[in-house]
Amino acid sequence: MIIPFILKELKALLKDGGFLLLAVGGPLFYSFFYPFPYTQDVARKIPLAVVDEDNSYLSRQLVRMMRAEEEIEPVSYAALPEAKKALDRREVFAIVRLDKDFERNLLKSVPQQVHIYTDASYPVYYKQTTTALQRAIKTVSAGAEIKKLQALGAGPAAAVLRSPVQMTVVNLYSPTGSYRNYLVPAVFVTVAHQIMLIVIGLRAGTLYERKKRYPRRLTPLDVWLGKTLSFLCLMAGYFVYLFVFMFRLYGFSGGENLGAWFGFYMLFSVATIGLGITLSNVFRERETPILFIVVTSIPLVFMSGVIWPVWKMPLLVQALRLCVPSTYGITGVVRLFVMDGTWLDIWPYVCGCALLAVLFSFTAYYTVKKRYPIQL
């Protein structure tokens, strides 16, 4: 009885235009639209204005160092007011000003400042610009200091004396230091979670409006199990598309532990479906679940901890986040799928997700039984 019921549910969903637009169009849209800005990993050739009032050898050398940085593209301006107008028009995203006597002060060991004005309204541009400028300025500053030490008789050891401790930075899990390796997979989990909740509520609202009843041969247990398995088929399809096909298409690093992530993902899916069926008891109109999820989507992303540290959240929010499957799913995808961890590495999230799966499965069954024989 259950298999024909599952096939009937899937067939009814596929005949629903609203369902197809949301459940099929949603992942397609987000999977292409969201990762696309991160395909280049880092911003390159960011235009910035350079106002060189000194026009000396060292100031020109600093400008040459800036041009060697791949993230920025210096554009010379004669005066600061002209550069400010270009910044206001968003023709450049930063201004670098080199004062008069820049070279003379350096040669006299007088502290010299490089004035940098950046447009911080674009965080990615701001980060890349300031990082590139710091490298160029430190390189010129180190060269000038080494020359002074050599003039004082340090000889070839001047470079070691200037910087006796070297630092080596290795970017783990995200070799390029970009957002996409951990943020995009987390968004994919959010998309699957939110769309599934809307789809379940959309289906429940439609059936409630039509006042349809289940056949008497189906028990509430059959209905609950059939609905859970039919929606699990959709979640499995999302996994194949988002975390196998799209992950390989965009060339994300990680994703080697595919089997372990699929097992955890299905556990997360059971918890999500149980929550959706439970919430569907209050969705009496077809449009209600869409409004509900839209309002709660942004808070759920922040509550997951992938954008904002959990320990910085209010205690009430820290408690509420433990009741949402996406909290465990998003953290699990970062630890297990991106960082190539094992089940042992994420056992607290496995236990939390399993607890929610059991809890929401029970409440979902109670919801189906409560409204039986009216379809949910």
Side-chain angles (χ1 to χ4, degrees), residues 1 39 47 59 78 83 107 116 121-122 149 159 210 224-225 234 243 255 272 291 302 309 319 358 364:
M1 291 185 183
T39 53
S59 67
L107 295 177
I116 301 174
S121 62
Y122 285 104
L149 291 173
R210 296 175 182 176
W224 165 76
L225 185 59
L234 294 177
F243 295 100
T272 300
L291 298 175
F302 276 91
V358 173

PDB file of all heavy atoms in Angstrom, residues 1 39 47 59 78 83 107 116 121-122 149 159 210 224-225 234 243 255 272 291 302 309 319 358 364:
ATOM      1  N   MET A   1       0.813  -1.213   0.000  1.00  0.00           N
ATOM      2  CA  MET A   1       0.000   0.000   0.000  1.00  0.00           C
ATOM      3  C   MET A   1       0.851   1.270   0.000  1.00  0.00           C
ATOM      4  O   MET A   1       0.475   2.276  -0.575  1.00  0.00           O
ATOM      5  CB  MET A   1      -0.918   0.020   1.228  1.00  0.00           C
ATOM      6  CG  MET A   1      -2.030  -1.018   1.202  1.00  0.00           C
ATOM      7  SD  MET A   1      -3.121  -0.809   2.598  1.00  0.00           S
ATOM      8  CE  MET A   1      -4.222  -2.183   2.354  1.00  0.00           C
ATOM      9  N   THR A  39      33.272  32.337  -8.601  1.00  0.00           N
ATOM     10  CA  THR A  39      33.998  31.451  -9.510  1.00  0.00           C
ATOM     11  C   THR A  39      35.455  31.858  -9.676  1.00  0.00           C
ATOM     12  O   THR A  39      36.311  31.017  -9.957  1.00  0.00           O
ATOM     13  CB  THR A  39      33.321  31.417 -10.887  1.00  0.00           C
ATOM     14  OG1 THR A  39      33.147  32.766 -11.364  1.00  0.00           O
ATOM     15  CG2 THR A  39      31.960  30.737 -10.803  1.00  0.00           C
ATOM     16  N   PRO A  47      40.394  48.788  -9.536  1.00  0.00           N
ATOM     17  CA  PRO A  47      41.012  50.095  -9.818  1.00  0.00           C
ATOM     18  C   PRO A  47      41.117  50.961  -8.563  1.00  0.00           C
ATOM     19  O   PRO A  47      40.196  51.033  -7.762  1.00  0.00           O
ATOM     20  CB  PRO A  47      40.065  50.716 -10.843  1.00  0.00           C
ATOM     21  CG  PRO A  47      38.749  50.052 -10.601  1.00  0.00           C
ATOM     22  CD  PRO A  47      39.053  48.661 -10.136  1.00  0.00           C
ATOM     23  N   SER A  59      58.993  56.774  -4.372  1.00  0.00           N
ATOM     24  CA  SER A  59      57.541  56.828  -4.555  1.00  0.00           C
ATOM     25  C   SER A  59      57.140  56.111  -5.839  1.00  0.00           C
ATOM     26  O   SER A  59      56.134  55.393  -5.870  1.00  0.00           O
ATOM     27  CB  SER A  59      57.059  58.276  -4.561  1.00  0.00           C
ATOM     28  OG  SER A  59      57.547  58.966  -5.700  1.00  0.00           O
ATOM     29  N   ALA A  78      46.471  63.483 -10.879  1.00  0.00           N
ATOM     30  CA  ALA A  78      47.365  64.606 -10.613  1.00  0.00           C
ATOM     31  C   ALA A  78      47.137  65.214  -9.238  1.00  0.00           C
ATOM     32  O   ALA A  78      48.077  65.680  -8.595  1.00  0.00           O
ATOM     33  CB  ALA A  78      47.196  65.673 -11.698  1.00  0.00           C
ATOM     34  N   ALA A  83      40.944  62.712  -7.672  1.00  0.00           N
ATOM     35  CA  ALA A  83      40.825  61.315  -7.254  1.00  0.00           C
ATOM     36  C   ALA A  83      39.565  61.096  -6.425  1.00  0.00           C
ATOM     37  O   ALA A  83      38.897  60.057  -6.545  1.00  0.00           O
ATOM     38  CB  ALA A  83      42.061  60.906  -6.458  1.00  0.00           C
ATOM     39  N   LEU A 107      64.766  58.485   3.798  1.00  0.00           N
ATOM     40  CA  LEU A 107      66.233  58.461   3.847  1.00  0.00           C
ATOM     41  C   LEU A 107      66.765  59.067   5.143  1.00  0.00           C
ATOM     42  O   LEU A 107      67.857  58.714   5.594  1.00  0.00           O
ATOM     43  CB  LEU A 107      66.804  59.213   2.643  1.00  0.00           C
ATOM     44  CG  LEU A 107      66.509  58.581   1.276  1.00  0.00           C
ATOM     45  CD1 LEU A 107      67.067  59.440   0.152  1.00  0.00           C
ATOM     46  CD2 LEU A 107      67.071  57.165   1.197  1.00  0.00           C
ATOM     47  N   ILE A 116      45.769  56.130   2.855  1.00  0.00           N
ATOM     48  CA  ILE A 116      44.917  55.254   2.048  1.00  0.00           C
ATOM     49  C   ILE A 116      43.462  55.508   2.425  1.00  0.00           C
ATOM     50  O   ILE A 116      43.086  55.414   3.599  1.00  0.00           O
ATOM     51  CB  ILE A 116      45.268  53.766   2.275  1.00  0.00           C
ATOM     52  CG1 ILE A 116      46.730  53.510   1.924  1.00  0.00           C
ATOM     53  CG2 ILE A 116      44.357  52.869   1.442  1.00  0.00           C
ATOM     54  CD1 ILE A 116      47.189  52.103   2.249  1.00  0.00           C
ATOM     55  N   SER A 121      32.342  50.010   1.596  1.00  0.00           N
ATOM     56  CA  SER A 121      30.989  49.502   1.375  1.00  0.00           C
ATOM     57  C   SER A 121      30.983  48.203   0.587  1.00  0.00           C
ATOM     58  O   SER A 121      29.978  47.511   0.555  1.00  0.00           O
ATOM     59  CB  SER A 121      30.146  50.555   0.642  1.00  0.00           C
ATOM     60  OG  SER A 121      30.695  50.849  -0.628  1.00  0.00           O
ATOM     61  N   TYR A 122      32.106  47.879  -0.067  1.00  0.00           N
ATOM     62  CA  TYR A 122      32.277  46.585  -0.732  1.00  0.00           C
ATOM     63  C   TYR A 122      33.297  45.783   0.068  1.00  0.00           C
ATOM     64  O   TYR A 122      34.502  45.937  -0.136  1.00  0.00           O
ATOM     65  CB  TYR A 122      32.770  46.768  -2.170  1.00  0.00           C
ATOM     66  CG  TYR A 122      31.727  47.241  -3.146  1.00  0.00           C
ATOM     67  CD1 TYR A 122      31.697  48.550  -3.587  1.00  0.00           C
ATOM     68  CD2 TYR A 122      30.776  46.346  -3.636  1.00  0.00           C
ATOM     69  CE1 TYR A 122      30.732  48.989  -4.484  1.00  0.00           C
ATOM     70  CE2 TYR A 122      29.809  46.779  -4.536  1.00  0.00           C
ATOM     71  CZ  TYR A 122      29.794  48.102  -4.953  1.00  0.00           C
ATOM     72  OH  TYR A 122      28.849  48.531  -5.831  1.00  0.00           O
ATOM     73  N   LEU A 149      70.791  49.248   6.757  1.00  0.00           N
ATOM     74  CA  LEU A 149      71.608  48.303   7.520  1.00  0.00           C
ATOM     75  C   LEU A 149      72.887  47.946   6.762  1.00  0.00           C
ATOM     76  O   LEU A 149      73.960  47.814   7.360  1.00  0.00           O
ATOM     77  CB  LEU A 149      70.795  47.041   7.811  1.00  0.00           C
ATOM     78  CG  LEU A 149      69.626  47.202   8.807  1.00  0.00           C
ATOM     79  CD1 LEU A 149      68.805  45.928   8.885  1.00  0.00           C
ATOM     80  CD2 LEU A 149      70.154  47.568  10.195  1.00  0.00           C
ATOM     81  N   ALA A 159      69.316  41.420   5.565  1.00  0.00           N
ATOM     82  CA  ALA A 159      67.951  40.911   5.430  1.00  0.00           C
ATOM     83  C   ALA A 159      67.539  40.091   6.645  1.00  0.00           C
ATOM     84  O   ALA A 159      66.395  40.162   7.111  1.00  0.00           O
ATOM     85  CB  ALA A 159      67.829  40.073   4.166  1.00  0.00           C
ATOM     86  N   ARG A 210      -8.792  21.903  -0.390  1.00  0.00           N
ATOM     87  CA  ARG A 210      -9.690  21.069  -1.192  1.00  0.00           C
ATOM     88  C   ARG A 210     -10.478  20.081  -0.331  1.00  0.00           C
ATOM     89  O   ARG A 210     -11.374  19.404  -0.838  1.00  0.00           O
ATOM     90  CB  ARG A 210      -8.883  20.307  -2.243  1.00  0.00           C
ATOM     91  CG  ARG A 210      -8.198  21.229  -3.259  1.00  0.00           C
ATOM     92  CD  ARG A 210      -7.319  20.447  -4.203  1.00  0.00           C
ATOM     93  NE  ARG A 210      -6.631  21.330  -5.148  1.00  0.00           N
ATOM     94  CZ  ARG A 210      -5.735  20.913  -6.047  1.00  0.00           C
ATOM     95  NH1 ARG A 210      -5.415  19.622  -6.106  1.00  0.00           N
ATOM     96  NH2 ARG A 210      -5.173  21.770  -6.856  1.00  0.00           N
ATOM     97  N   TRP A 224       1.910   8.771   7.209  1.00  0.00           N
ATOM     98  CA  TRP A 224       3.142   9.423   7.668  1.00  0.00           C
ATOM     99  C   TRP A 224       4.373   8.827   6.994  1.00  0.00           C
ATOM    100  O   TRP A 224       5.250   9.560   6.503  1.00  0.00           O
ATOM    101  CB  TRP A 224       3.258   9.290   9.184  1.00  0.00           C
ATOM    102  CG  TRP A 224       4.649   9.614   9.673  1.00  0.00           C
ATOM    103  CD1 TRP A 224       5.196  10.848   9.804  1.00  0.00           C
ATOM    104  CD2 TRP A 224       5.660   8.665  10.045  1.00  0.00           C
ATOM    105  NE1 TRP A 224       6.492  10.749  10.242  1.00  0.00           N
ATOM    106  CE2 TRP A 224       6.807   9.421  10.399  1.00  0.00           C
ATOM    107  CE3 TRP A 224       5.704   7.271  10.128  1.00  0.00           C
ATOM    108  CZ2 TRP A 224       7.987   8.813  10.832  1.00  0.00           C
ATOM    109  CZ3 TRP A 224       6.875   6.665  10.555  1.00  0.00           C
ATOM    110  CH2 TRP A 224       8.002   7.424  10.896  1.00  0.00           C
ATOM    111  N   LEU A 225       4.444   7.510   6.959  1.00  0.00           N
ATOM    112  CA  LEU A 225       5.600   6.860   6.361  1.00  0.00           C
ATOM    113  C   LEU A 225       5.675   7.125   4.857  1.00  0.00           C
ATOM    114  O   LEU A 225       6.759   7.403   4.314  1.00  0.00           O
ATOM    115  CB  LEU A 225       5.542   5.348   6.626  1.00  0.00           C
ATOM    116  CG  LEU A 225       6.758   4.526   6.166  1.00  0.00           C
ATOM    117  CD1 LEU A 225       8.013   5.031   6.865  1.00  0.00           C
ATOM    118  CD2 LEU A 225       6.531   3.040   6.464  1.00  0.00           C
ATOM    119  N   LEU A 234      12.837  13.377  -2.878  1.00  0.00           N
ATOM    120  CA  LEU A 234      13.174  14.720  -3.354  1.00  0.00           C
ATOM    121  C   LEU A 234      14.485  15.199  -2.735  1.00  0.00           C
ATOM    122  O   LEU A 234      15.334  15.777  -3.430  1.00  0.00           O
ATOM    123  CB  LEU A 234      12.057  15.690  -3.013  1.00  0.00           C
ATOM    124  CG  LEU A 234      10.714  15.475  -3.708  1.00  0.00           C
ATOM    125  CD1 LEU A 234       9.696  16.483  -3.210  1.00  0.00           C
ATOM    126  CD2 LEU A 234      10.865  15.582  -5.213  1.00  0.00           C
ATOM    127  N   PHE A 243      25.254  18.515  -4.378  1.00  0.00           N
ATOM    128  CA  PHE A 243      26.520  18.139  -3.755  1.00  0.00           C
ATOM    129  C   PHE A 243      27.361  17.160  -4.571  1.00  0.00           C
ATOM    130  O   PHE A 243      28.474  16.844  -4.166  1.00  0.00           O
ATOM    131  CB  PHE A 243      26.253  17.564  -2.359  1.00  0.00           C
ATOM    132  CG  PHE A 243      25.672  18.564  -1.420  1.00  0.00           C
ATOM    133  CD1 PHE A 243      24.316  18.590  -1.166  1.00  0.00           C
ATOM    134  CD2 PHE A 243      26.474  19.503  -0.822  1.00  0.00           C
ATOM    135  CE1 PHE A 243      23.771  19.525  -0.309  1.00  0.00           C
ATOM    136  CE2 PHE A 243      25.943  20.449   0.047  1.00  0.00           C
ATOM    137  CZ  PHE A 243      24.583  20.453   0.300  1.00  0.00           C
ATOM    138  N   GLY A 255      34.908  17.396  -0.350  1.00  0.00           N
ATOM    139  CA  GLY A 255      33.875  16.545  -0.915  1.00  0.00           C
ATOM    140  C   GLY A 255      34.324  15.124  -1.185  1.00  0.00           C
ATOM    141  O   GLY A 255      33.657  14.386  -1.912  1.00  0.00           O
ATOM    142  N   THR A 272      14.322  17.352   8.846  1.00  0.00           N
ATOM    143  CA  THR A 272      13.709  18.477   8.131  1.00  0.00           C
ATOM    144  C   THR A 272      12.281  18.139   7.701  1.00  0.00           C
ATOM    145  O   THR A 272      11.361  18.951   7.859  1.00  0.00           O
ATOM    146  CB  THR A 272      14.547  18.835   6.892  1.00  0.00           C
ATOM    147  OG1 THR A 272      15.874  19.204   7.304  1.00  0.00           O
ATOM    148  CG2 THR A 272      13.924  19.984   6.121  1.00  0.00           C
ATOM    149  N   LEU A 291       5.285  32.568   3.080  1.00  0.00           N
ATOM    150  CA  LEU A 291       5.484  33.751   3.922  1.00  0.00           C
ATOM    151  C   LEU A 291       6.246  33.391   5.193  1.00  0.00           C
ATOM    152  O   LEU A 291       7.130  34.138   5.631  1.00  0.00           O
ATOM    153  CB  LEU A 291       4.128  34.374   4.277  1.00  0.00           C
ATOM    154  CG  LEU A 291       3.284  34.878   3.099  1.00  0.00           C
ATOM    155  CD1 LEU A 291       1.926  35.357   3.603  1.00  0.00           C
ATOM    156  CD2 LEU A 291       4.003  35.988   2.363  1.00  0.00           C
ATOM    157  N   PHE A 302      21.841  32.841  10.131  1.00  0.00           N
ATOM    158  CA  PHE A 302      22.726  33.411  11.144  1.00  0.00           C
ATOM    159  C   PHE A 302      22.816  32.517  12.371  1.00  0.00           C
ATOM    160  O   PHE A 302      23.867  32.410  13.004  1.00  0.00           O
ATOM    161  CB  PHE A 302      22.238  34.806  11.533  1.00  0.00           C
ATOM    162  CG  PHE A 302      22.709  35.896  10.614  1.00  0.00           C
ATOM    163  CD1 PHE A 302      21.949  36.272   9.522  1.00  0.00           C
ATOM    164  CD2 PHE A 302      23.917  36.524  10.829  1.00  0.00           C
ATOM    165  CE1 PHE A 302      22.380  37.272   8.660  1.00  0.00           C
ATOM    166  CE2 PHE A 302      24.368  37.525   9.976  1.00  0.00           C
ATOM    167  CZ  PHE A 302      23.600  37.906   8.891  1.00  0.00           C
ATOM    168  N   PRO A 309      29.828  33.810  15.081  1.00  0.00           N
ATOM    169  CA  PRO A 309      30.187  32.830  16.117  1.00  0.00           C
ATOM    170  C   PRO A 309      29.040  32.561  17.080  1.00  0.00           C
ATOM    171  O   PRO A 309      28.344  33.486  17.508  1.00  0.00           O
ATOM    172  CB  PRO A 309      31.370  33.487  16.833  1.00  0.00           C
ATOM    173  CG  PRO A 309      31.913  34.484  15.866  1.00  0.00           C
ATOM    174  CD  PRO A 309      30.748  34.960  15.053  1.00  0.00           C
ATOM    175  N   ALA A 319      19.901  28.653  22.450  1.00  0.00           N
ATOM    176  CA  ALA A 319      18.998  27.544  22.782  1.00  0.00           C
ATOM    177  C   ALA A 319      18.070  27.242  21.608  1.00  0.00           C
ATOM    178  O   ALA A 319      17.836  26.068  21.280  1.00  0.00           O
ATOM    179  CB  ALA A 319      18.195  27.893  24.033  1.00  0.00           C
ATOM    180  N   VAL A 358      14.140  11.948  15.474  1.00  0.00           N
ATOM    181  CA  VAL A 358      13.202  11.145  16.266  1.00  0.00           C
ATOM    182  C   VAL A 358      12.065  12.021  16.786  1.00  0.00           C
ATOM    183  O   VAL A 358      10.881  11.663  16.701  1.00  0.00           O
ATOM    184  CB  VAL A 358      13.936  10.460  17.434  1.00  0.00           C
ATOM    185  CG1 VAL A 358      12.934   9.770  18.364  1.00  0.00           C
ATOM    186  CG2 VAL A 358      14.949   9.459  16.910  1.00  0.00           C
ATOM    187  N   ALA A 364       5.392  14.678  13.749  1.00  0.00           N
ATOM    188  CA  ALA A 364       4.786  14.600  12.416  1.00  0.00           C
ATOM    189  C   ALA A 364       3.714  13.521  12.369  1.00  0.00           C
ATOM    190  O   ALA A 364       2.624  13.723  11.806  1.00  0.00           O
ATOM    191  CB  ALA A 364       5.867  14.319  11.361  1.00  0.00           C
TER     192      ALA A 364
END
